[in-house]
Amino acid sequence: MKTLKPILLLVIGFLFTMTSCRTEDDLAIDPPVEDTIEANSTIANLMSNVASNDGSDDNIIDNANCLSVQLPVTVTVNGIEITINDDDGYQDIEDIIDLFDDDVDSVVISYPITVILTDFSTVTVNSDSELAILVADCNGENEDDDDIECIDFQYPITASIYDENNDLINSITINNDNDMYDFIDDLDEFAAVTINFPIIVIFIDGTTQTINNIQELEGVIEMADDSCDEDDDNDFDDDDCDNCTTNDLETVFADCSEWTVDKLERNDDDLEDNYVGYVFEFNSDGTILVTQGTNSFNGTWEASGTGNNISVVINVTGLPDFNDTWNLHEIEQDDDEVDVDLRLGDDRLRFESDCQSNGSINDTALVNALINGDWYITYFFDDTDETSDFSDYVFNFSSDNTATATDTSGSTNGSWSTTSGDDTELGLNLNFGTGIPLDELADDWDVLEVTNDIIRLKDVSGGDGSEDFLTFERNPFDGGNGNDDLEAILTDGLWIVASYTEDADDQTSNYSGYELDFNMDGSVSASNGSNTNNGTWSVFSSGNQMALDFVTDIPFEEFNDDDWDVISVSSTEVVIQDVSGGGGGTDTLTLQKL
């Protein structure tokens, strides 16, 4: 037998009281027939479907439309543990997943959790297998289900309860969807029930309508049903452009004059490396100008539609990989970068721009060094050390942004350009075509260090987040790297923290008076006479990266990281930098020798 709910118990108790106290003076009040709701009627079922718990909002966690996970809940996303306290947390999960395009994403739930079913009842779940049993009872993604998400009730709503004598025995207040669902579910327990009109309903676009009777309510709900994308699938990012307009796209194209190709995938082929150094300018008159070194290409663009149905037509003469009618998937604006993401089935095209620089970044030192004299690759790391592949090449860079790579078989023409880096202020775009092994150099590299004798570059892969390193020097490859002596430099004498900034926060004063002693056995100590911090250190990637770990010793635990980038090295100064994942801040540590 179904358990009686609190509303029903109150009504029945009140009914007993009224029945025992009834007198001949009591008057029967006939409920208005036009506003009466009967159990299992069309309007009752529609109201129940509007009020039922929609489980699709958190599909990024449970992949189930008919249930939701009660918050807070802790999940581990691609190895990062986060606690979801409200609906904004679903976006946090998506942001982590969106960091890289080609990695294997995972969302691991920390059990036990509480699951809320369609009728708002709850179940404690202790494992993935227990959750899978509940999920199996849900309709699959994009399959029709009963819940109606395109319209909501504005609460509170009051209802009147009548007995079999048509006496008004109670008036109840419905404050939320759970109350409404229970109220409709209990209709068969009452002789007659009416809704006290007018009431207000809210549509998916935020507009409202006043409803004056049952017939009007029934018609409005039926009309609203399936009038919006109810998002009953597991593509958690398919709503990224819900509020996009063609004006938004026109604005970012107008505000950001230089766009580069961050991602281009056609027919399962990754083509973005073919277009390193290509700069796109989308003009307000619908024209496109593409430049690459001394080459230029002309085309057109046009956008139409709204929301998630905006079409972007691109047609550039000589660049057929871009020419198509794309769907605008997302416009993502961060503090220092804007991305325009286009999709066409499984094909992807993503443009990015650093609107802050607008070509004004100071690249003088890099350009002056680059265009003067010969350069040789002394280190190239892409998953493995591949430096020897380039040992026969000499590189020359011209002021007109052309370049040549010459070996015993002849010269290969290429191009170069400077840009803003992803993790550093300055970037260097290189492109020597698709021939092996020079195709490996095609990328937009972050500049770590520039002198007249060495140019050190880094790139974070857009796929799996791995880091590649490239070093040019004045002398041919001899099996070493400009930072091979970093270990020897650090172990020679004592060092101080000359500067430490965590993003924009200067914390150098916390380390005043400390002297650091780096030992060849991988240990390091930092002492100010009264306090000593002990830790470990190591240098890897042929001197391009460094690890520090002071465990929990304050204040040096701030330096704990296993992938500091080595920015510059001299016999008296070492600068290392760490950029937090997920668009976080930049930490910079400068050590000076005593």
Coordinates of all heavy atoms in Angstrom, one line a residue, residues 80 95-96 99-100 332 334-337 421-424 458 501-504 561 577-588:
I80 N 41.5 14.9 -11.9 CA 41.3 16.1 -11.0 C 40.1 15.9 -10.2 O 39.0 15.8 -10.7 CB 41.2 17.4 -11.9 CG1 42.5 17.5 -12.8 CG2 41.1 18.6 -11.0 CD1 42.4 18.7 -13.7
D95 N 34.6 22.1 -18.5 CA 35.9 22.9 -18.7 C 37.1 22.0 -18.7 O 38.0 22.1 -19.5 CB 36.0 24.0 -17.7 CG 35.0 25.1 -18.0 OD1 34.4 25.2 -19.1 OD2 34.8 25.9 -17.0
I96 N 37.1 21.0 -17.7 CA 38.3 20.1 -17.6 C 38.3 19.2 -18.8 O 39.4 19.0 -19.4 CB 38.2 19.3 -16.3 CG1 38.3 20.3 -15.1 CG2 39.3 18.2 -16.2 CD1 38.1 19.6 -13.7
L99 N 39.7 20.7 -22.0 CA 41.1 21.2 -22.0 C 41.8 20.6 -23.2 O 42.6 21.3 -23.9 CB 41.8 20.8 -20.7 CG 41.6 21.6 -19.5 CD1 42.3 21.0 -18.3 CD2 42.0 23.0 -19.7
F100 N 41.6 19.3 -23.5 CA 42.2 18.7 -24.7 C 41.2 18.0 -25.5 O 40.2 17.5 -25.0 CB 43.3 17.7 -24.2 CG 44.3 18.3 -23.2 CD1 44.3 18.0 -21.9 CD2 45.2 19.3 -23.6 CE1 45.2 18.6 -21.0 CE2 46.0 19.9 -22.8 CZ 46.1 19.5 -21.4
E332 N 34.0 31.0 -27.2 CA 34.5 31.0 -25.9 C 35.5 32.2 -25.7 O 36.5 32.3 -26.4 CB 35.3 29.7 -25.6 CG 35.7 29.5 -24.2 CD 36.4 28.1 -24.0 OE1 36.5 27.4 -24.9 OE2 36.7 27.9 -22.8
D334 N 38.0 34.0 -23.0 CA 38.7 34.1 -21.8 C 39.4 35.4 -21.7 O 39.3 36.2 -22.6 CB 39.8 32.9 -21.7 CG 39.1 31.6 -21.6 OD1 38.1 31.4 -21.0 OD2 39.7 30.6 -22.2
D335 N 40.1 35.6 -20.6 CA 40.8 36.9 -20.4 C 41.7 37.3 -21.5 O 41.9 38.4 -21.9 CB 41.5 37.0 -19.0 CG 40.5 36.9 -17.9 OD1 39.3 37.3 -18.1 OD2 40.9 36.5 -16.8
D336 N 42.5 36.3 -22.0 CA 43.5 36.5 -22.9 C 43.4 35.8 -24.3 O 44.3 35.8 -25.1 CB 44.9 36.2 -22.3 CG 44.9 34.7 -21.9 OD1 43.9 34.0 -22.0 OD2 46.0 34.2 -21.5
E337 N 42.2 35.2 -24.5 CA 42.0 34.5 -25.8 C 40.6 34.3 -26.1 O 39.7 34.2 -25.2 CB 42.7 33.1 -25.7 CG 42.6 32.3 -26.9 CD 43.4 30.9 -26.8 OE1 44.6 30.9 -26.8 OE2 42.7 29.9 -26.6
G421 N 52.1 33.9 -27.3 CA 52.1 32.5 -26.9 C 50.9 32.1 -26.1 O 50.2 32.9 -25.6
D422 N 50.7 30.8 -26.0 CA 49.6 30.3 -25.2 C 50.0 30.3 -23.7 O 49.1 30.8 -22.9 CB 49.3 28.8 -25.6 CG 48.7 28.7 -27.0 OD1 48.0 29.6 -27.4 OD2 49.0 27.7 -27.7
D423 N 51.2 29.9 -23.4 CA 51.6 29.9 -22.0 C 52.6 31.0 -21.7 O 52.9 31.2 -20.5 CB 52.2 28.5 -21.6 CG 51.1 27.4 -21.5 OD1 49.9 27.8 -21.5 OD2 51.5 26.3 -21.3
T424 N 53.2 31.6 -22.7 CA 54.2 32.6 -22.5 C 53.7 33.8 -23.3 O 52.8 33.8 -24.2 CB 55.6 32.2 -23.0 OG1 55.5 31.9 -24.4 CG2 56.1 31.0 -22.2
K458 N 58.7 25.7 -26.6 CA 57.9 24.7 -26.0 C 56.5 24.7 -26.7 O 56.0 25.8 -27.0 CB 57.7 24.9 -24.5 CG 56.9 23.8 -23.8 CD 56.5 24.2 -22.4 CE 55.4 25.2 -22.3 NZ 54.8 25.4 -21.0
T501 N 56.6 35.1 -7.9 CA 55.2 35.6 -8.1 C 54.3 34.5 -8.4 O 54.6 33.6 -9.2 CB 55.2 36.6 -9.3 OG1 55.7 36.0 -10.5 CG2 56.0 37.8 -8.9
E502 N 53.2 34.5 -7.8 CA 52.1 33.5 -8.0 C 51.0 34.2 -8.8 O 50.2 35.0 -8.1 CB 51.6 32.9 -6.7 CG 50.6 31.7 -6.9 CD 50.3 31.1 -5.6 OE1 51.2 30.6 -4.9 OE2 49.1 31.0 -5.3
D503 N 50.9 34.0 -10.1 CA 50.1 34.8 -10.9 C 50.5 36.3 -10.8 O 51.7 36.6 -11.0 CB 48.6 34.6 -10.6 CG 47.7 35.0 -11.8 OD1 48.3 35.4 -12.9 OD2 46.5 34.9 -11.7
A504 N 49.7 37.2 -10.3 CA 50.0 38.6 -10.1 C 50.5 38.9 -8.7 O 50.7 40.1 -8.4 CB 48.9 39.5 -10.6
D561 N 56.0 21.3 -7.5 CA 55.5 21.0 -8.8 C 56.5 20.1 -9.5 O 57.7 20.2 -9.3 CB 55.3 22.3 -9.6 CG 54.1 22.2 -10.6 OD1 54.1 21.3 -11.4 OD2 53.2 23.0 -10.4
Q577 N 59.3 28.5 -14.6 CA 57.9 29.0 -14.7 C 57.0 27.8 -14.7 O 57.3 26.8 -15.3 CB 57.8 29.9 -15.9 CG 56.4 30.6 -16.1 CD 56.4 31.4 -17.3 OE1 56.1 30.9 -18.4 NE2 56.7 32.7 -17.2
D578 N 55.8 28.0 -14.1 CA 54.8 27.0 -14.2 C 53.4 27.6 -14.5 O 53.1 28.6 -13.9 CB 54.6 26.2 -12.9 CG 53.5 25.2 -12.9 OD1 53.6 24.2 -13.7 OD2 52.5 25.4 -12.2
V579 N 52.7 27.1 -15.5 CA 51.4 27.6 -15.9 C 50.4 26.5 -15.4 O 50.5 25.4 -15.8 CB 51.3 27.8 -17.4 CG1 49.9 28.2 -17.8 CG2 52.3 28.8 -17.9
S580 N 49.5 27.0 -14.6 CA 48.5 26.0 -14.0 C 47.6 25.5 -15.2 O 47.2 26.3 -16.1 CB 47.6 26.7 -13.0 OG 48.4 27.2 -11.9
G581 N 47.2 24.3 -15.1 CA 46.3 23.7 -16.1 C 44.9 24.3 -16.0 O 44.5 24.8 -14.9
G582 N 44.1 24.2 -17.1 CA 42.8 24.7 -17.1 C 42.6 26.2 -17.1 O 41.7 26.8 -16.7
G583 N 43.7 26.9 -17.7 CA 43.6 28.3 -17.9 C 43.9 29.1 -16.6 O 43.5 30.2 -16.4
G584 N 44.7 28.4 -15.7 CA 45.0 29.1 -14.5 C 46.2 30.1 -14.6 O 46.6 30.4 -15.7
G585 N 46.7 30.6 -13.5 CA 47.7 31.6 -13.5 C 49.1 31.1 -13.8 O 49.3 29.9 -13.9
T586 N 50.1 32.0 -13.8 CA 51.5 31.6 -14.1 C 52.3 32.0 -12.9 O 52.3 33.1 -12.3 CB 52.0 32.4 -15.3 OG1 51.2 32.1 -16.4 CG2 53.4 32.1 -15.5
D587 N 53.1 31.0 -12.4 CA 54.0 31.1 -11.3 C 55.4 31.3 -11.8 O 55.8 30.4 -12.7 CB 53.9 30.0 -10.3 CG 52.5 29.7 -9.8 OD1 51.7 30.7 -9.8 OD2 52.2 28.6 -9.3
T588 N 56.2 32.2 -11.4 CA 57.5 32.4 -11.9 C 58.5 32.5 -10.7 O 58.3 33.3 -9.8 CB 57.6 33.7 -12.7 OG1 56.7 33.6 -13.8 CG2 59.0 33.9 -13.3

